[in-house]
Amino acid sequence: MANADDLRDPNPWHPITDAVDLKHLGKLGEECNELGAIISRAIIQGIDGLDPETGIPNRVNIEDEIADVLANIALVEKHFHLDTARMAARAERKMEHLRKWHEHA
């Protein structure tokens, strides 16, 4: 258990207050959730199933939502000066790991 005399900041959480930062991250989160929703629909209905309200194929909706996520990722990378080289290297390692994992499905 921590010694109460050694505790630092009693409130280590410092939420973002900058409106532009909030908009960047909020929109990225929203788009990621929309992608998650259409992925779930495709799992339930199939990749070529149709949206029951619009008749649009799940495949097309997935393409659209991936594009929206990619666009927002690019904006967040630029806005927050993220290390894109480090992220690209990690993505390559992740893809190699997943390729091997998929082979054993």
Side-chain angles (χ1 to χ4, degrees), residues 41-53:
R41 179 179 292 143
I43 289 169
I44 293 166
Q45 298 176 333
I47 190 76
D48 293 313
L50 303 177
D51 181 307
E53 293 182 18

Side-chain angles (χ1 to χ4, degrees), residues 42-86:
I43 289 169
I44 293 166
Q45 298 176 333
I47 190 76
D48 293 313
L50 303 177
D51 181 307
E53 293 182 18
T54 65
I56 297 171
N58 292 331
R59 178 183 306 274
V60 171
N61 282 327
I62 288 174
E63 291 169 348
D64 290 349
E65 293 305 330
I66 288 174
D68 292 352
V69 168
L70 291 173
N72 278 275
I73 286 171
L75 291 172
V76 166
E77 287 172 343
K78 184 174 181 177
H79 180 76
F80 289 103
H81 309 286
L82 301 181
D83 187 341
T84 55
R86 189 186 76 74

